[in-house]
Structure formats: structure tokens, C-alpha cells
Amino acid sequence: MSYTETIGSRTYRFADLKTLLAKASPQRSGDQLAGVAAASEEERVAAKMALAQVPLRTFLNEALIPYESDEVTRLVIDDHSPQAFAEIAHLTVGDFRNWLLSTTTDSDALTRITAGLTPEMVAAVSKLMRNQDLIGAARKRPVITRFRNTVGLPGHMSVRLQPNHPTDDVKGIAASMLDGLMYGCGDAMIGINPASDNLAAITKLLLMIDDFRQRYQVPTQSCVLTHVTNTIAAIEKGAPVDLVFQSIAGTEKANAGFGISLALLQEAYEAGLSLKRGTVGHNLMYFETGQGSALSADAHFGVDQQTCEVRAYAVARKFNPFLVNTVVGFIGPEYLYDGKQITRAGLEDHFCGKLLGVPMGCDICYTNHAEADQDDMDNLLTLLGVAGINFIMGIPGADDVMLNYQSTSFHDALYVRDVLGLRRAPEFEEWLESMQITDARGALLSASTQQPLLEGARDWMGIA
């Protein structure tokens, strides 16, 4: 089905829904690289006007990637709930935007319709929204998950402590981990990107974190971000696996490039559940995504990068994840050119994930060859804090010495919690107070108060 819109004396024609969505997207370098972006701002406006008139039902009848050839499309269609969709089935994309922003649409209403939304519907409405719309609507849709603590409560924001090391040196990782805990970070998880995929090295890191966690009774969860097949192998060998990690994308071909399928993710999910390591809940999958991943794998099929990204959230939703992380600026300026594009993408990803019922966090980051700097990240950090982000990253100095990119620091987490009054996961906050790291309000105590834990941890690490 084709779509048209006239502006002045010029009529714009869009061959199909896939083209219309791409042309309606805000400007970004990845869509330009793929050759699917609007050729002018006028064409982009025309596409938005045409998209606003498309009935939401259309997305159930016009697949962007054929049902027969893509298992993500099959997942989206087969899992769609007509009952949940009924409340909004009469709306167009433009009407849906107005419904989302209405003061009478609350968290309960957004929760009711979750199973009736497809990624394409959600991507479409995001393209009609200003940044403030994305923030305001996302804030109304908390997504709460539990493993050893509770993440995503309104008024709370958690931090993934990322103590990476370029050689996987256990003492170096332990020192960074302790540094982050002293700043009150780590309630989302302690997650290490290993420099090696060697199973013995991965197991060694898992054992180190688990030993520290048990010794000091830290109510958090650990993860070593290796391929899901390695995690399954580690589980089979008795390693103390908490969260099961995998990078995912929005098409079957892109996921195949990651070496995964829905069946393999199901196997990993069941393996994680079999360990029964959660104490307050059983959400245990940790997924990472990022706009541009399908394009970089030549697996986007002409679909714009933001819509491909939102399709990945349907994959995530299938496995009841504890955390989902859009690593927004990590792939590089070929996909998100500058601070403005990174900011917009971060807000889109958070809004779209939350609307689909996914516990969204964001690695607020950029690579050193992007037209972005730490001021851009400060802006996005603040906006996502207002929007109700589930978690951000905590990296020593905001500079990852293994992955070589710029993110957010332990101090950045203190800043956004202070200015917005955000608390940590309640179980973790109780632990911090019991260990005399913070007071009852969540504020850091002096270094002298923290000294007993610091000295004990130094002894544990074997550091003089």
C-alpha cells in the first residue's frame, strides 16, 4: 500500500509503510548511510503528516519484513494480544500520540495496552513526538523487575557498575568494583565486559564477584558479558551465574550475525532459571541493543535503524529481562553522528522500550570520533533521569579503559540522584546504610566512616 501527502503544490509519494516510517524519522547518519532517509526536511514533514493518518491496525496487516522469512516478525505477530489492543484499535498513529500525552492516560492504562502494541506501532508514534513528549509519556510507564533487589520503582534509578580491565586482571577489576560501591553504585548489577571469551577466565571473574557478594552480603547481581553459549557452558560447569547476557537485534538475520536465535535464547533463559539464584524475583536476562546494529550487519532490509531497534525490544520482552540496555552512542558516528542525534536516539529508545513493557536503561555514551562531548552526555543523563530511566552506567572516570569509549561515571550518578531526588534500589540502599557507606537519606558518608569496609576489602583482595 502506498501513501501520499501534499505540501503546497508538491505531492510526496511513499511506496509502502517501511518507506514512510524511514522518511518520517528524525535525521540520523545511519539512515542516510542506508539510503532510506528523507531527502529534505519538507519530505520528512510530509512523511510525518502521512504517518499520523495511518490507522494502528495497518501495522498488523503490513509487515515490514515478511512473516515467512523472519522469526522476529513471527514473534511480534504471534504474541500480539487483540484483547489488549482493543482499547486503542480505533486510533490512528496521530490519535495514539494524543492519547499517550493525555492527562487521563495513566500508568494503569499504559500497562493494559502493552501486549497489544507492536514495535512498529511504537516506533511510528515516537517519530511524531518531540523530545518532551518522549520524556513525559515514558515517565508514566514504570517497568519494575526483581532478582536480588528491585529495579525500576518510580522515583528510583539504579547503576550498573562496570569495572572493566584491558587484561581481565582480577585485582584491577576488584579495585574498580570496590571504588564504585564506595560511591553507592552497583544496584542494577556488577557487570564485566571481559577482554577474553575464554571460559576459564570468565568463570574466574564470576567466582570473584560471587565471593565478594557473599562475604559482604551485597544485595545485587553479577554478570560477565560473554556470548550466551559461553554462559550456558559456564552454568553446566557449576559457575555462579546470576544474569544471562546477550546482545540482540531486531531481525532474524542480524541476530544470526550475533550467533543467536530465539530458540537459543530460550535455552539460555531456562538454564538461568534452573539455578534459582534470585531471592526477590526471577527476572534474569540482560540484553544490550543499539541503533545501527542491523544496518552494520547488512540485515536491516531497508527498515530505518530506529524501527529495527524497537523490534529488538520485542525479542527482549519475550524473555522477561531484568535489564535492557541501549548502548546508544557506542556504534559510532556512522549511525548517530553527533550529540543531538545521540540524545534523540536515547530518548526514543527509552520511550519505546518502556511502552513495550521492557525495563530500559541506557549507556549514555559516545566514541571519541563522534561530534559529541561530555556536556552532551550530561544533557542526556539529566533528560533520561527525568524520564524515569531504570538504570545508567557507572564507570571509573566515565572512561572505559577496555572498550575505549566515554560513558557516565560514579560521580555522574551522584549528580543526577541529587538534583532529581532519585533513590537506589531499596534493598541495596539498606545495605549501603548498614555498611556506613550512606546515611538514611542515601547521601554518601565521609571516607573515614567507610574505612572498616575499605580495609576489609583490601585484605580480601590481597592489596597492602
Side-chain angles (χ1 to χ4, degrees):
M1 178 179 175
S2 63
Y3 303 85
T4 62
E5 186 64 43
T6 300
I7 296 180
S9 60
R10 184 165 185 176
T11 298
Y12 291 89
R13 291 181 173 82
F14 309 98
D16 51 27
L17 189 57
K18 175 167 59 178
T19 302
L20 180 63
L21 286 166
K23 301 291 187 182
S25 291
Q27 184 178 22
R28 62 205 59 202
S29 52
D31 289 341
Q32 293 171 320
L33 179 66
V36 302
S40 67
E41 285 301 319
E42 184 172 281
E43 184 181 26
R44 183 170 288 110
V45 170
K48 289 178 185 288
M49 293 170 65
L51 181 59
Q53 300 170 53
V54 175
L56 290 179
R57 289 186 181 277
T58 303
F59 295 93
L60 300 174
N61 302 318
E62 189 175 342
L64 306 188
I65 302 172
Y67 181 95
E68 297 75 17
S69 61
D70 186 90
E71 68 174 1
V72 177
T73 299
R74 293 194 291 274
L75 171 67
V76 168
I77 298 301
D78 294 349
D79 281 7
H80 180 260
S81 168
Q83 294 76 23
F85 183 58
E87 187 170 346
I88 56 170
H90 61 290
L91 300 178
T92 64
V93 177
D95 293 333
F96 185 39
R97 173 190 175 274
N98 295 338
W99 183 85
L100 289 170
L101 298 176
S102 169
T103 56
T104 60
T105 300
D106 57 12
S107 297
D108 290 341
L110 294 177
T111 301
R112 282 198 308 271
I113 67 166
T114 297
L117 296 174
T118 70
E120 292 82 359
M121 293 176 193
V122 173
V125 75
S126 75
K127 297 176 192 298
L128 305 184
M129 301 175 86
R130 293 169 56 186
N131 286 2
Q132 68 172 249
D133 300 336
L134 298 172
I135 293 167
R139 187 175 176 83
K140 294 195 286 187
R141 180 55 170 104
V143 180
I144 301 166
T145 56
R146 296 176 173 87
F147 189 75
R148 283 199 192 89
N149 60 29
T150 306
V151 171
L153 293 167
H156 292 66
M157 184 198 74
S158 296
V159 176
R160 171 190 160 187
L161 205 174
Q162 182 170 299
N164 293 344
H165 192 279
T167 64
D168 289 340
D169 179 78
V170 173
K171 285 187 178 180
I173 289 171
S176 291
M177 179 179 71
L178 182 61
D179 188 25
L181 290 169
M182 292 295 111
Y183 280 101
C185 294
D187 51 339
M189 70 166 173
I190 300 170
I192 302 167
N193 299 85
S196 166
D197 266 344
N198 177 277
L199 187 58
I202 290 162
T203 302
K204 187 176 183 180
L205 294 176
L206 286 167
L207 288 168
M208 180 273 290
I209 301 176
D210 198 59
D211 180 59
F212 182 90
R213 182 190 63 78
Q214 292 195 60
R215 180 179 297 250
Y216 292 101
Q217 299 182 311
V218 191
T220 190
Q221 35 285 320
S222 65
C223 185
V224 175
L225 281 65
T226 186
H227 192 270
V228 69
T229 53
N230 289 333
T231 303
I232 293 171
I235 290 172
E236 290 173 346
K237 289 183 178 297
V241 172
D242 287 345
L243 304 186
V244 177
F245 163 78
Q246 183 55 50
S247 293
I248 57 173
T251 72
E252 180 178 346
K253 183 179 177 182
N255 283 325
F258 286 135
I260 61 166
S261 64
L262 296 180
L264 181 59
L265 292 177
Q266 182 67 35
E267 180 185 350
Y269 178 50
E270 291 173 2
L273 286 175
S274 72
L275 299 179
K276 300 179 180 179
R277 290 176 61 82
T279 55
V280 298
H282 304 291
N283 302 109
L284 55 79
M285 299 299 284
Y286 172 58
F287 294 117
E288 287 194 344
T289 68
Q291 289 194 27
S293 59
L295 175 58
S296 68
D298 191 25
H300 61 103
F301 302 98
V303 178
D304 69 272
Q305 68 180 41
Q306 190 246 341
T307 302
C308 280
E309 169 74 1
V310 185
R311 284 169 56 93
Y313 304 155
V315 175
R317 181 171 64 174
K318 178 69 175 176
F319 302 102
N320 304 311
F322 182 65
L323 308 168
V324 176
N325 182 20
T326 170
V327 192
V328 66
F330 183 75
I331 302 181
E334 298 83 2
Y335 305 94
L336 295 169
Y337 179 72
D338 58 15
K340 182 175 182 179
Q341 291 188 16
I342 292 170
T343 297
R344 173 71 189 188
L347 294 176
E348 287 171 347
D349 294 351
H350 177 249
F351 161 80
C352 291
K354 285 293 183 64
L355 214 57
L356 288 170
V358 171
M360 289 302 298
C362 184
D363 190 341
I364 301 161
C365 64
Y366 64 101
T367 56
N368 287 314
H369 61 309
E371 291 294 320
D373 59 26
Q374 211 65 42
D375 285 337
D376 295 311
M377 300 306 104
D378 286 350
N379 294 342
L380 180 53
L381 170 64
T382 306
L383 294 173
L384 286 172
V386 174
I389 194 82
N390 277 31
F391 72 99
I392 62 168
M393 311 300 284
I395 297 171
D399 183 1
D400 192 296
V401 295
M402 195 278 282
L403 293 173
N404 295 309
Y405 77 115
Q406 310 303 310
S407 185
T408 47
S409 71
F410 308 143
H411 300 80
D412 294 330
L414 292 177
Y415 147 75
V416 75
R417 283 190 173 123
D418 181 52
V419 298
L420 298 177
L422 300 173
R423 304 300 293 256
R424 301 167 181 86
E427 301 89 345
F428 190 79
E429 203 158 72
E430 289 177 12
W431 177 79
L432 290 173
E433 185 180 357
S434 71
M435 299 301 290
Q436 296 182 296
I437 295 172
T438 64
D439 64 19
R441 298 174 295 109
L444 288 183
L445 296 173
S446 67
S448 61
T449 303
Q450 298 177 356
Q451 201 65 26
L453 175 61
L454 188 59
E455 290 300 328
R458 283 174 174 164
D459 291 340
W460 170 79
M461 289 189 294
I463 298 173

